């Protein structure tokens, strides 16, 4: 009986080879045709055809030559940076930061604006995106995706914002308004979730499929990564750890009245400052006080012990449910506490539960939310552009 040839198989193989070559060029480029053939396991003829195909589609360009032995120098190829662009946006209550990256991931434009003098979220995002693209000398039409990191809840079914405590003007229906205004795919994502994406890419959680990131700053948040994918929950509320009912703080009965929830009362920035005052650090903001306590060694130990005891209540509650191998402490306070705070939290969690996750400080020091937004946008756009290379 003869084998049945599957229809479309050559086309599928070409698409897979093209995608593999493009990923290699991003990771290891620039490369010659011969080196691409070696890395992909393709013959010289097939590798040459592949490069020509990608050149014709505007995805690959010649960037130089590699001197060799006898004969002409080999051409070097790289992914063409301008084949697509993305914009990431970090939106907070007082400012918005937007960055434009090309498809290689290089950040080539960035703007920062105050949001204190406006109550028009569409105008805020429009201006930030347009100026970020302009500063990158990129046409807005080449921006294939915009990812916005915001505090609050994002409905996993509609993609719209349903609740943003610190952004009262951000509401359901904003997503459609932004898409209509910018004529570009726009995606909302919770800011702490984006910080976890960045941590997995280039921070303390590289190579770890299951981990949680606890954000401690003005607010308290949690991101859950399972099998390398964010877990959002049925309503997008997975990770709203500030609402954990924990001992040591009153539990509000009506969250719609914007009363501070229990765990937020215990470890949010206001509480950190209160603990700092009790331990002799009266004039610093939360992060500054924690850094001062760490720098003071033994003198600052009691303050860090108290913060770790409070923080461990939320970490332990999360870990006995999810049992992750790793917990990353991020946000202004988590970053300021460094290993001194993380080690104390790890010891306290182990003392009050049966789980023993490794607790570490964030590996990122600059703009993790923005970095996560850009990575999320790039992953989606590369799938679109690289996944449709065969006509």
């Amino acid at each position: 009986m003869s084998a049945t040839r599957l229809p479309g198989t050559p086309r599928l193989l070409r698409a897979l080879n093209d995608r593999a070559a493009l990923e290699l060029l991003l990771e290891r480029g620039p490369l010659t045709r011969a080196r691409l053939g070696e890395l992909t396991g393709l013959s010289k003829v097939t590798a040459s055809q592949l490069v020509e195909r990608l050149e014709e589609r505007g995805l690959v360009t010649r960037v130089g030559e590699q001197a060799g032995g006898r004969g002409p120098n080999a051409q070097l190829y790289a992914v063409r940076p301008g084949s697509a662009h993305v914009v990431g946006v970090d939106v907070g209550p007082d400012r918005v930061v937007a960055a434009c990256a090309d498809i290689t991931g290089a950040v080539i434009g960035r703007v920062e604006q105050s949001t204190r003098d406006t109550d028009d979220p569409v105008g805020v995002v429009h201006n930030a995106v347009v100026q970020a693209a302009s500063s990158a000398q990129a046409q807005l039409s080449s921006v294939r995706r915009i990812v916005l990191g915001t505090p609050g809840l994002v409905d996993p079914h509609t993609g719209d914002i349903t609740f943003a405590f610190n952004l009262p003007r951000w509401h359901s229906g904003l997503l459609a308004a932004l898409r209509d205004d910018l004529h570009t795919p726009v995606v909302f994502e919770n800011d702490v979730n984006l910080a976890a994406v960045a941590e997995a890419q280039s921070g303390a959680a590289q190579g770890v499929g299951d981990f949680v990131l606890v954000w401690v700053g003005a607010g308290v948040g949690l991101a859950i990564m399972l099998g390398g994918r964010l877990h959002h929950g049925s309503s997008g509320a997975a990770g709203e750890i500030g609402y954990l009912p924990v001992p040591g703080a009153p539990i509000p009965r009506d969250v719609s009245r914007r009363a501070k929830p229990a765990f937020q009362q215990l470890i949010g920035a206001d509480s950190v400052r209160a603990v700092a005052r009790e331990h002799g650090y009266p004039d610093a903001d939360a992060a500054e006080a924690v850094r001062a306590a760490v720098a003071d060694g033994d003198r600052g130990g009691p303050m860090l012990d108290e913060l770790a005891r409070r923080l461990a209540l939320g970490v332990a509650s999360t870990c006995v449910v999810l049992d992750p191998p790793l917990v990353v402490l991020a946000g202004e306070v988590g970053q300021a506490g460094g290993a001194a705070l993380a080690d104390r939290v790890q010891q306290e969690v182990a003392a009050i539960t049966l789980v023993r996750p490794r607790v570490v400080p964030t590996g990122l020091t600059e703009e993790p939310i923005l970095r996560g937004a850009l990575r999320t946008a790039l992953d989606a756009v590369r799938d679109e552009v690289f996944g449709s290379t065969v006509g």
Side-chain angles (χ1 to χ4, degrees), residues 203-225:
Q206 290 181 76
V208 181
D210 296 351
F211 72 93
V212 297
L213 180 142
V214 180
W215 184 278
V216 189
V220 183
L222 176 82
I224 304 165
M225 193 76 75

Side-chain angles (χ1 to χ4, degrees), residues 194-206 213 215 328-332 334-336 361-372:
L194 291 178
V197 170
E199 206 75 53
Q201 177 206 357
S202 55
Q206 290 181 76
L213 180 142
W215 184 278
V328 179
L329 299 186
E332 298 89 344
Q335 180 179 333
T362 174
L364 303 174
T365 58
E366 295 184 1
E367 300 184 321
I369 297 166
L370 189 63
R371 293 171 68 166

